[in-house]
């Protein structure tokens, strides 16, 4: 197979830059694509060259296969990295790349199709002897069938869309009299979201942990896992904080789940980087949930504890090279945590906070990595994901990693837009989190503490400083339009507060 010399990155934001960083280290040329809203975006500046691909909405730019292929041809790129989201799990795109003689840095279209269909994925895993959540074998074709399954596995159950994932087309059923309406609701949501109304049933696992295993597979039949990531801290299916190792994990369970993850990948002849998601209940039973056939947002924590550059491995495997290591060469060293920084206001129902970034100062120092893309004066477009950065820290122990994350969050200064940082500071100071005592319901269970703005004063005086800087912004604007000031801001206005940062 030909060697990769020039990669087009069919993505934007932090992940486009993340991929290009590795390409530069490997001496590979990079090609960016950008929409109307991304003319001033950092990935465009970072790349060796860049091609305009259409209007701001992603269905008029980043999702149009023809435009991406066209840019690849014009630039002479001989490979495409899809990143995550957009076309990353689109089998038609992977197939088209191959047809055009461009290497798709990812698995085969067949695997993407199979794992994208949750019923097929479940069937493949059952066949391979991997534990799946008790439930239906295939799709359900009648309501009687649902009642039959309930007799076997009991209530509560979950009705899930085969084409779903991420919570869409999913319904929890607690009582038998809810079955009929829940099946209908799940079907119609699935049909309108995915154009496919196939649904299946699983027993509802109460308060599970969401634990995923990273795997890597080459074209020569070598498959390894790179241990787990604990991803239970999320709200409304949007992950917020991930860590590895999982505080729940035991060495025995890790070994067993790692083996299951490798078998899962083998069962579908997987090639590339992938993730096997499991639900783990409080008595440590684990169940295959789904497989993601892309590089994931949270991949850096795995990179930090294993020392493996996952993008580099994706590229090497796509070129046909063998994995340069075996399972025995891999270990987890220390502890890594990632906080996703969203341009959202946690104290205003996580409302998106698009706008101009006035000042940004990112944390540095021992054990800190940020994967971001915004710069001072950058206007965050409203069209795409509100995640603007990822903060990844490492420590010798979980305790050291938590302390380092608190320090790094303290150093993280962004003004002009509201961010999730203060919420993440509250998590790092939450007793249950510190004790590793959490599951997928963590945010609901701890909302009293997590949603209370006042506690920020105890955590960081910098919250006050950030407010002060917001005040300076307002003062700037107030020449033209009158603005209301809080009492604290009014006292600063009188010169009562003198802060020399920024
Ligand atoms: C479940 C479950 C409990 N039991 N399935 C949510 C997203 C989708 N990918 C799978 N999800 C769940 N499936 C059974 N049989 C609980 C969830 C779930 C969840 C899973 C992972 C991370 C966060 C979650 C939050 C709520 C529900």
């Amino acid at each position: 197979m030909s060697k990769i010399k020039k990669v087009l990155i069919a993505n934007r934001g932090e992940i486009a830059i993340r991929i290009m960083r590795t390409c530069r280290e490997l001496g590979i040329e990079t090609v960016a694509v950008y929409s109307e809203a991304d003319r001033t975006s950092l990935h465009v500046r970072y790349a060796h060259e860049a091609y305009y691909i259409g209007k701001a909405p992603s269905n008029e730019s980043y999702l149009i296969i023809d435009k991406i292929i066209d840019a690849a041809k014009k630039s002479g790129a001989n490979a495409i990295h899809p990143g995550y989201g957009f076309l990353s799990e689109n089998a038609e795109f992977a197939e088209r790349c191959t047809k055009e003689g461009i290497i798709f840095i990812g698995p085969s279209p067949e695997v993407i199709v199979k794992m994208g269909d949750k019923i097929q994925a479940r069937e493949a895993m059952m066949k391979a002897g991997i534990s799946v959540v008790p439930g239906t074998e295939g799709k359900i074709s009648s309501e009687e069938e649902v009642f039959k399954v309930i007799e076997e596995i009991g209530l509560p159950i979950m009705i899930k869309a085969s084409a779903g994932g991420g919570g869409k087309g999913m319904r929890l059923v607690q009582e038998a009299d809810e079955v009929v309406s829940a099946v209908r609701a799940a079907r119609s949501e699935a049909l309108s979201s995915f154009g496919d109304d196939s649904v299946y049933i699983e027993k509802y696992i109460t308060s599970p942990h969401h634990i995923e295993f990273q795997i890597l597979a080459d074209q020569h039949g070598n498959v390894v896992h790179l241990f787990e990531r604990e991803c239970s801290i999320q709200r409304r299916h949007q992950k917020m904080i991930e860590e590895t190792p999982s505080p729940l994990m035991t060495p025995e369970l890790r070994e067993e789940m790692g083996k299951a993850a490798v078998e899962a990948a083998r069962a579908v002849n997987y090639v590339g980087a992938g993730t096997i998601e499991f639900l783990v209940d409080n008595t440590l039973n684990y169940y295959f949930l789904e497989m993601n056939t892309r590089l994931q947002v949270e991949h850096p924590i795995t990179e930090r504890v294993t020392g493996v550059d996952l993008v580099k491995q994706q590229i090497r495997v796509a070129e046909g090279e063998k994995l340069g290591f075996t399972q025995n060469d891999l270990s987890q060293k220390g502890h890594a945590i990632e906080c996703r920084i969203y341009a959202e206001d946690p104290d205003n129902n996580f409302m998106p906070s698009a706008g101009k970034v006035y000042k940004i100062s990112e944390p540095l120092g021992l054990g800190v990595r940020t994967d971001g893309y915004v710069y001072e004066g950058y206007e965050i477009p409203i069209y795409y994901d509100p995640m603007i950065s990822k903060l990844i820290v490492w420590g010798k122990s979980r305790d050291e990693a938590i302390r380092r994350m608190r320090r790094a969050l303290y150093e993280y200064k962004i003004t002009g837009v509201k961010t999730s940082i203060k919420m993440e500071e509250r998590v790092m100071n939450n007793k249950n989190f510190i004790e590793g005592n959490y599951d997928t319901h963590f945010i609901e269970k701890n909302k009293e503490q997590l949603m209370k703005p006042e506690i920020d004063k105890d955590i960081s005086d910098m919250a006050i400083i950030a407010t002060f800087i917001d005040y300076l912004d307002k003062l700037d604007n107030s020449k033209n339009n009158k603005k209301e000031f809080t009492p604290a801001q009014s006292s600063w206005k009188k010169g009562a507060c003198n802060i020399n940062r920024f």
Side-chain angles (χ1 to χ4, degrees):
M1 189 166 285
S2 65
K3 197 127 169 77
I4 292 174
K5 294 195 177 62
K6 196 172 198 177
V7 174
L8 180 143
I9 296 90
N11 216 301
R12 65 177 303 282
E14 68 85 18
I15 196 62
I17 293 166
R18 158 71 193 92
I19 294 159
M20 291 192 272
R21 282 182 163 139
T22 286
C23 290
R24 280 194 181 263
E25 290 179 17
L26 297 176
I28 295 169
E29 299 253 327
T30 57
V31 180
V33 290
Y34 63 97
S35 71
E36 185 69 48
D38 274 336
R39 286 188 185 283
T40 61
S41 213
L42 194 59
H43 76 284
V44 177
R45 296 194 198 172
Y46 191 97
H48 291 87
E49 54 192 288
Y51 292 81
Y52 174 77
I53 51 161
K55 296 265 182 288
S58 47
N59 60 9
E60 294 180 52
S61 49
Y62 297 106
L63 289 172
I64 301 191
I65 294 174
D66 280 336
K67 292 199 177 182
I68 309 254
I69 297 290
D70 194 45
K73 295 229 144 143
K74 276 193 188 124
S75 67
N78 68 338
I80 293 182
H81 196 306
Y84 54 69
F86 296 130
L87 295 169
S88 62
E89 291 175 290
N90 183 309
E92 191 192 329
F93 181 54
E95 196 161 1
R96 181 72 188 282
C97 290
T98 310
K99 212 177 107 211
E100 302 282 351
I102 300 163
I103 298 168
F104 177 76
I105 303 174
S108 69
E110 293 75 28
V111 168
I112 297 175
V113 168
K114 191 180 266 184
M115 295 298 108
D117 180 324
K118 308 304 168 199
I119 290 176
Q120 278 192 55
R122 241 174 98 77
E123 283 170 346
M125 295 310 149
M126 283 190 255
K127 223 173 112 193
I130 290 151
S131 154
V132 301
V133 188
T136 45
E137 290 218 353
K139 68 173 171 184
I140 55 163
S141 42
S142 68
E143 277 144 17
E144 292 80 74
E145 217 181 315
V146 183
F147 289 109
K148 232 174 82 192
V149 177
I150 292 172
E151 263 172 46
E152 284 165 36
I153 63 173
L155 283 165
I157 57 160
M158 279 204 115
I159 300 163
K160 295 186 175 184
S162 188
K168 264 237 174 89
M170 213 170 73
R171 286 289 182 286
L172 170 61
V173 177
Q174 311 257 27
E175 306 290 339
D177 64 2
E178 297 164 8
V179 166
V180 175
S181 66
V183 171
R184 279 194 197 139
R187 273 199 202 287
S188 88
E189 193 175 312
L191 189 64
S192 64
S193 303
F194 317 111
D196 172 3
D197 74 350
S198 315
V199 295
Y200 63 105
I201 293 169
E202 282 180 359
K203 182 166 181 54
Y204 180 64
I205 310 295
T206 316
S207 299
H209 282 246
H210 176 134
I211 296 180
E212 57 189 30
F213 273 70
Q214 176 69 53
I215 63 105
L216 269 176
D218 66 20
Q219 299 179 18
H220 309 275
N222 302 302
V223 187
V224 297
H225 73 82
L226 293 95
F227 311 101
E228 80 279 11
R229 293 186 287 259
E230 167 68 71
C231 303
S232 297
I233 302 206
Q234 52 79 47
R235 64 169 278 286
R236 296 198 196 150
H237 308 299
Q238 182 171 272
K239 289 174 191 167
M240 203 155 185
I241 296 167
E242 302 96 350
E243 65 177 313
T244 184
S246 164
L248 185 75
M249 198 59 76
T250 63
E252 297 74 34
L253 184 61
R254 178 174 294 116
E255 173 136 357
E256 201 182 324
M257 289 178 73
K259 277 197 178 130
V262 167
E263 276 166 35
R266 279 193 196 288
V268 295
N269 294 317
Y270 197 81
V271 173
T275 303
I276 317 289
E277 291 186 2
F278 295 98
L279 288 182
V280 183
D281 68 19
N282 36 26
T283 53
L284 301 189
N285 296 304
Y286 66 90
Y287 308 98
F288 169 85
L289 194 62
E290 27 190 276
M291 177 173 195
N292 299 311
T293 58
R294 59 169 192 279
L295 181 70
Q296 289 198 241
V297 174
E298 59 271 30
H299 76 276
I301 58 171
T302 297
E303 297 189 318
R304 194 60 187 80
V305 299
T306 62
V308 174
D309 176 340
L310 288 168
V311 174
K312 179 173 170 179
Q313 294 307 318
Q314 284 187 299
I315 292 171
R316 291 308 183 216
V317 159
E319 285 176 327
E321 279 190 27
K322 286 186 177 157
L323 287 178
F325 43 80
T326 64
Q327 192 66 56
N328 283 334
D329 298 323
L330 294 167
S331 64
Q332 289 168 300
K333 188 170 183 292
H335 199 98
I337 307 176
E338 172 179 274
C339 284
R340 300 187 184 191
I341 313 299
Y342 291 100
E344 290 176 350
D345 184 359
D347 293 329
N348 187 14
N349 199 28
F350 297 87
M351 188 112 92
S353 180
K356 193 173 259 190
V357 175
Y358 180 60
K359 291 279 182 189
I360 176 163
S361 178
E362 295 188 301
L364 293 167
L366 185 63
V368 176
R369 164 177 174 180
T370 59
D371 277 23
Y373 76 107
V374 309
Y375 55 84
E376 285 184 3
Y378 179 67
E379 183 132 5
I380 300 165
I382 56 162
Y383 299 95
Y384 315 108
D385 198 272
M387 194 188 76
I388 54 169
S389 170
K390 302 180 314 208
L391 169 57
I392 304 103
V393 304
W394 180 86
K396 285 192 296 296
S397 63
R398 184 168 187 268
D399 177 63
E400 190 178 87
I402 292 173
R403 288 165 186 276
R404 187 160 284 155
M405 184 59 89
R406 286 188 201 128
R407 184 270 288 178
L409 288 165
Y410 163 80
E411 287 179 15
Y412 217 136
K413 301 290 172 265
I414 303 175
T415 66
V417 296
K418 296 275 192 341
T419 74
S420 54
I421 290 172
K422 53 179 171 285
M423 170 88 170
E424 282 142 350
E425 289 189 301
R426 293 171 204 157
V427 175
M428 291 302 136
N429 286 286
N430 177 282
K431 186 169 172 288
N432 290 323
F433 178 79
I434 292 165
E435 288 171 359
N437 168 29
Y438 67 84
D439 57 43
T440 47
H441 300 304
F442 173 79
I443 290 182
E444 309 159 45
K445 285 181 188 164
N446 294 273
K447 64 169 179 272
E448 278 297 292
Q449 191 228 319
L450 300 176
M451 302 302 172
K452 234 191 227 158
E454 304 95 89
I455 67 152
D456 286 329
K457 290 196 194 78
D458 306 331
I459 295 165
S460 163
D461 61 339
M462 289 311 282
I464 299 166
I465 296 177
T467 315
F468 175 65
I469 289 157
D470 277 352
Y471 152 74
L472 289 179
D473 282 352
K474 284 188 180 143
L475 200 63
D476 255 7
N477 297 329
S478 66
K479 283 164 199 149
N480 306 323
N481 54 21
K482 285 202 181 97
K483 284 266 160 113
E484 292 291 317
F485 295 104
T486 66
Q489 288 169 338
S490 299
S491 70
W492 289 329
K493 204 171 158 189
K494 287 178 212 132
C497 184
N498 177 21
I499 292 154
N500 61 11
R501 203 179 154 88
F502 296 129

